[in-house]
Amino acid sequence: MSEVIEETQVQKGPSKAAGVAGKAALVGMSMLGSSVAHTEPHADHGYAPARWTAAAISILGWLIGGIAFPFGIWALVVAGGVLQVVAVIANLAMNAAGMGAKTNDDWAAAKARATEARAAS
């Protein structure tokens, strides 16, 4: 059955809505400094303090707002929403400060230094 579905999807091609949503997601991810949106191969593997910090702040905001919402504690719900905005701002600020994802050139230089250090020892 999955063969029929896959074959039909290949014949039809991707939906226009998925294409538009995918492009919008790539633009948003690129604005936040994500290397996933780029087409060149990369070796960053998720190491970026800016991303981890933004994710932690966002999760905290989600927990605060999500727990407060059913109880109608609107001040905490708003605080949770504000933390979502703070997460984006923190990510952008940390990317600008050089704590975002490393470029491919940075990874290549780090790999070369590590190779030299291993050869020297």
Side-chain angles (χ1 to χ4, degrees):
M1 178 106 163
S2 65
E3 293 171 6
V4 173
I5 293 171
E6 290 172 9
E7 192 173 308
T8 305
Q9 186 63 36
V10 170
Q11 292 169 351
K12 290 179 9 182
S15 70
K16 290 181 182 180
V20 171
K23 287 179 184 175
L26 287 178
V27 169
M29 291 168 62
S30 180
M31 287 173 54
L32 293 176
S34 174
S35 60
V36 174
H38 306 295
T39 56
E40 71 270 0
H42 62 281
D44 110 0
H45 301 292
Y47 172 79
R51 292 182 195 164
W52 283 100
T53 302
I57 294 170
S58 180
I59 290 169
L60 181 65
W62 179 78
L63 284 172
I64 290 171
I67 292 171
F69 182 78
F71 296 105
I73 306 170
W74 303 115
L76 287 180
V77 173
V78 170
V82 168
L83 283 175
Q84 300 304 314
V85 175
V86 168
V88 172
I89 293 169
N91 190 13
L92 293 173
M94 291 178 75
N95 278 335
M99 291 184 271
K102 291 184 179 182
T103 64
N104 290 332
D105 295 336
D106 293 339
W107 282 111
K111 186 176 179 181
R113 284 193 304 271
T115 303
E116 289 172 6
R118 279 193 298 273
S121 58

